[in-house]
Amino acid sequence: MDELLEILEEIAPGVDFENCTTLIDDHKLDSLAILALVAELEDAFDITIPTVEIIPANFNSAEAMWEMVERLQEEA
Amino acid sequence: MTQEAIKRVETYGTPLYVFDAKVLQERIRYLKAHLPEAIELAYAVKANPFIIGAAEPFVERLEICSPGEAEICLKMQVPAQKMVISGVYKTPAFIEALVREHPDIGVYTVESLAQYRLLTQLAKQSGQRLELLLRMTSGNQFGMEEQEVTAILANPDPCVHIRGIQFFSGTQKTSLKKMQRELLRVQTVLERYPVEELEFGPGFPVYYFEGEDFDEDAYLDTFAEMIRPLMTGRKVVLELGRSIAAGCGTYYTRVVDQKRNREGNFALVDGGIHQIAYYGQFMAMKMPPIETEPPRARDGEVWNICGSLCTINDILIKQLPAEGLAVGDILSFGKAGAYSMTEGMALFLSRDLPAVVLTTEAGDVLLRDHTETYGLNMPQ
């Protein structure tokens, strides 16, 4: 989770990743940030994130992202 | 979907765009009702050229930004006085032909000093005193710097008539505060140089997606108060495209295949991102107005709606809840009347263009049948 927060802070500095649950809904992350983030997460956690997983439910909060990462690691 | 809509889809086949003339006319009426009475409207035909015929009687001008758009307007018998010849790229040949063949064209816009020289030269050559609007830039590739505009206003070429200023800074202007700052900038120029007209593109926003709230009455009423001071002693024309056209359009596509795999459920449709796009849909994460026919419960299993292009990017909607969605189902996409048709990569995969129908009180009119594109993607 710490590694995830580090990645997030590098891609979009200044956003409150610890608490925000509307990262997508409120456009705190834009399309470029999301694409960069997906590439980073795939690399850092050895997973593949299919396009259909790039949805608000998985990216609206750091917690949701972490749940997705863990799930994809398990499925692999 | 109504029985009428279902019948229409069966008659014309999917993929299909339907534009509703009555909805369009109601929309223009609504906008005018919330704006000061003396305001005039210019419809930016780039938003949707198919509805030019339906819109023309209800707006004072049509804004044209290319030779192609000019041809469409002329063929649709738009009165020349209602045409605003705009566009960042105007060739001498194009303007020369217009000046020669349509001397009563309403007004030409000036995007640069080179365009000013072109238009003044053509005015001299033809003996016509062309009507011009000077476009002031908002800080991008369009229009001229304030000093360039005021230099022309201070010393206009007598062969042309500088009718006024044009200003447009972008679409989807949700912040009225920002617009107020822009209007104040324009106002200071107008106060120093009395001109007859301001043509202003406010970029009224359209809220496309689920979960978005917009009190449009309140937005327009606030805008009306902001624009009023600029109307003293001059005519104000508002240029609108998206705001006029979005609501009258619906796109219909049919589910033609289905698969379930470990990534999820995928429904393939006969349309795709070559035919429809929503500004700001954010990688297909946001939900535009969708209906299914037969109606499917909007819970239970979720479907990724993918188009017929061979690219992973061809996803129209991610995770649409639609219990029991099946091959043969029709999906209708609302608010697709502005730009949605032309922002897709229409020639990709040499797929057909969708049919286009206008529905009016007198019945349906087929404006364009399903049209092959492969001929454009090969040696002519």
Side-chain angles (χ1 to χ4, degrees):
Chain A
M1 184 65 170
D2 283 338
E3 202 185 336
L4 171 64
L5 285 172
E6 257 177 58
I7 293 173
L8 286 169
E9 261 135 33
E10 218 190 289
I11 288 181
V15 177
D16 181 7
F17 289 109
E18 308 239 344
N19 296 307
C20 186
T21 56
T22 53
L23 293 168
I24 300 294
D25 296 341
D26 288 346
H27 274 263
K28 302 270 190 245
L29 293 170
D30 65 15
S31 343
L32 288 174
I34 292 173
L35 291 174
L37 179 56
V38 164
E40 281 291 326
L41 294 178
E42 289 187 328
D43 196 44
F45 300 107
D46 247 327
I47 51 175
T48 305
I49 302 178
T51 318
V52 295
E53 292 275 3
I54 306 175
I55 51 172
N58 290 341
F59 282 81
N60 253 335
S61 67
E63 203 185 309
M65 284 183 232
W66 186 243
E67 273 170 32
M68 175 193 70
V69 166
E70 289 189 314
R71 176 170 47 85
L72 291 174
Q73 279 177 328
E74 244 181 72
E75 286 174 5
Chain B
M1 272 173 63
T2 62
Q3 282 309 310
E4 203 192 304
I6 297 169
K7 191 153 169 277
R8 192 174 289 123
V9 169
E10 301 296 340
T11 305
Y12 295 102
T14 55
L16 175 68
Y17 268 99
V18 176
F19 301 126
D20 191 324
K22 187 144 170 273
V23 169
L24 172 66
Q25 286 151 19
E26 273 310 307
R27 175 65 184 174
I28 295 172
R29 222 187 311 264
Y30 165 81
L31 287 168
K32 287 196 161 186
H34 282 270
L35 294 166
E37 215 195 303
I39 287 261
E40 294 192 355
L41 292 185
Y43 171 56
V45 307
K46 64 174 77 61
N48 185 344
F50 282 100
I51 59 174
I52 286 172
E56 186 266 310
F58 299 90
V59 296
E60 285 67 48
R61 294 197 188 158
L62 288 96
E63 199 223 1
I64 286 149
C65 286
S66 72
E69 290 187 346
E71 282 300 319
I72 294 173
C73 282
L74 291 168
K75 289 198 156 74
M76 300 288 307
Q77 315 205 297
V78 171
Q81 314 91 277
K82 282 179 128 171
M83 290 168 61
V84 181
I85 307 300
S86 201
V88 71
Y89 173 45
K90 296 179 173 84
T91 60
F94 169 51
I95 304 297
E96 201 170 10
L98 283 178
V99 168
R100 195 182 347 112
E101 287 156 30
H102 303 279
D104 45 353
I105 290 257
V107 66
Y108 295 84
T109 71
V110 178
E111 287 267 0
S112 66
L113 293 175
Q115 287 195 1
Y116 182 63
R117 283 190 293 270
L118 169 66
L119 288 160
T120 51
Q121 190 191 20
L122 286 173
K124 273 189 195 75
Q125 276 170 20
S126 65
Q128 287 177 45
R129 193 150 184 257
L130 299 180
E131 300 278 321
L132 304 185
L133 288 172
L134 307 177
R135 182 170 183 179
M136 203 165 85
T137 189
S138 59
N140 52 26
Q141 74 266 39
F142 302 106
M144 298 179 284
E145 270 293 8
E146 192 178 311
Q147 303 92 282
E148 291 172 324
V149 169
T150 54
I152 296 174
L153 288 171
N155 193 17
D157 189 313
C159 286
V160 294
H161 177 227
I162 311 288
R163 178 104 60 89
I165 293 188
Q166 185 198 32
F167 187 84
F168 169 73
S169 63
T171 188
Q172 296 290 64
K173 291 304 201 48
T174 49
S175 166
L176 282 171
K177 257 198 280 188
K178 187 167 177 229
M179 208 192 300
Q180 177 71 282
R181 289 196 296 270
E182 290 175 347
L183 283 174
L184 285 172
R185 240 190 85 210
V186 172
Q187 193 172 2
T188 54
V189 173
L190 291 172
E191 279 166 0
R192 280 153 56 204
Y193 298 92
V195 289
E196 288 158 43
E197 203 171 283
L198 166 66
E199 200 167 285
F200 179 69
F204 290 155
V206 170
Y207 283 75
Y208 291 103
F209 308 112
E210 224 172 68
E212 293 180 339
D213 237 325
F214 181 40
D215 184 348
E216 189 160 36
D217 286 7
Y219 178 97
L220 290 172
D221 292 343
T222 308
F223 173 80
E225 287 323 297
M226 277 165 42
I227 198 74
R228 243 180 250 280
L230 287 98
M231 294 172 70
T232 317
R234 76 181 70 82
K235 181 195 287 198
V236 172
V237 182
L238 296 182
E239 273 168 21
L240 293 169
R242 185 185 303 276
S243 188
I244 286 178
C248 80
T250 309
Y251 173 72
Y252 298 92
T253 183
R254 203 184 281 272
V255 178
V256 293
D257 202 351
Q258 271 180 313
K259 44 191 85 168
R260 290 174 167 84
N261 60 35
R262 56 197 202 110
E263 295 310 347
N265 302 329
F266 295 91
L268 283 307
V269 297
D270 57 7
I273 59 169
H274 53 312
Q275 300 183 338
I276 181 165
Y278 285 98
Y279 187 92
Q281 200 196 355
F282 208 5
M283 300 160 72
M285 283 200 274
K286 301 214 169 191
M287 193 75 70
I290 293 277
E291 275 179 44
T292 55
E293 181 56 44
R296 303 289 180 191
R298 297 295 289 272
D299 54 25
E301 54 180 6
V302 297
W303 290 91
N304 296 297
I305 310 299
C306 297
S308 51
L309 300 181
C310 292
T311 166
I312 192 133
N313 297 316
D314 194 358
I315 305 180
L316 293 176
I317 312 215
K318 286 176 182 168
Q319 318 242 330
L320 171 72
E323 180 65 39
L325 190 71
V327 170
D329 280 16
I330 301 167
L331 290 169
S332 85
F333 290 73
K335 294 194 184 173
Y339 302 111
S340 301
M341 261 197 308
T342 46
E343 278 182 3
M345 39 178 170
L347 296 178
F348 191 57
L349 250 62
S350 301
R351 288 202 160 272
D352 291 358
L353 296 171
V356 179
V357 165
L358 181 74
T359 156
T360 71
E361 272 164 346
D364 291 346
V365 185
L366 179 67
L367 299 184
R368 179 183 78 198
D369 208 343
H370 302 276
T371 303
E372 290 171 340
T373 67
Y374 73 87
L376 295 171
N377 281 342
M378 54 181 288
Q380 302 280 314

